[in-house]
Amino acid sequence: MKKIALLALVAALPAFATFAQETRSPFADTVEIRHGLMLQMAADLGKLGAIAKGQTPYDAATATKSAANLAAIASVISMDQFPAGSEVDAAPDSFALPAIWTNPDDFAAKITGLNDAASFMVAAAGKDASSIKGVMANLGGACGSCHKAYRQPEE
């Protein structure tokens, strides 16, 4: 009897796998990639912020690498990472607000602002901590303005 039950379970596994794939959100990978980009950006901002605040000594290699990472991430952020249907309440784990799709020109302008701010950080990062501090508010403001308008706060 145990063998029959085990065989029935093994035979049913492909059906369960198919069901699991069918119920997975079509935007799960997109949201996960988006989160990964933002987490990397946060990590690099943290390193630069610690330098700007004097919590970490200035290190040109670390600052330059972090700034380059920020610029690279900013350069790939676009509506491609935010397809309609991947918003909060429509796609699991998404914090993207529907305003992204009702205000696409403003959203694009905020992405441009992030790219500009990241470029200024790249220029400042190789100089010194004071230069990083001088552009940090602009970079943080670019991130914050987009999040305030287009990201649901985490609870």
Side-chain angles (χ1 to χ4, degrees):
M1 194 63 156
K2 288 182 182 178
K3 274 188 173 181
I4 293 172
L6 183 59
L7 287 172
L9 178 62
V10 170
L13 285 177
F16 289 125
T18 300
F19 176 75
Q21 288 174 352
E22 288 175 9
T23 60
R24 181 176 158 96
S25 167
F27 299 106
D29 290 341
T30 301
V31 171
E32 187 176 344
I33 290 166
R34 210 160 58 204
H35 285 182
L37 291 169
M38 297 302 166
L39 287 171
Q40 183 62 53
M41 190 173 283
D44 289 307
L45 275 169
K47 291 175 187 177
L48 292 165
I51 292 170
K53 292 175 186 174
Q55 297 169 336
T56 301
Y58 173 76
D59 175 68
T62 298
T64 301
K65 176 72 172 172
S66 292
N69 288 347
L70 289 172
I73 293 167
S75 75
V76 299
I77 296 176
S78 69
M79 288 301 285
D80 291 341
Q81 283 77 41
F82 296 88
S86 70
E87 65 271 12
V88 68
D89 296 331
D93 300 323
S94 178
F95 295 98
L97 292 173
I100 290 171
W101 299 276
T102 59
N103 301 311
D105 291 340
D106 184 60
F107 185 68
K110 291 191 183 322
I111 292 170
T112 298
L114 175 63
N115 276 281
D116 293 345
S119 294
F120 291 129
M121 182 57 78
V122 167
K127 295 179 182 176
D128 56 30
S130 180
S131 297
I132 292 171
K133 185 176 182 176
V135 298
M136 184 58 77
N138 188 36
L139 183 57
C143 294
S145 72
C146 193
H147 283 194
K148 184 180 276 188
Y150 299 113
R151 183 182 188 274
Q152 177 177 301
E154 292 184 57
E155 296 174 0

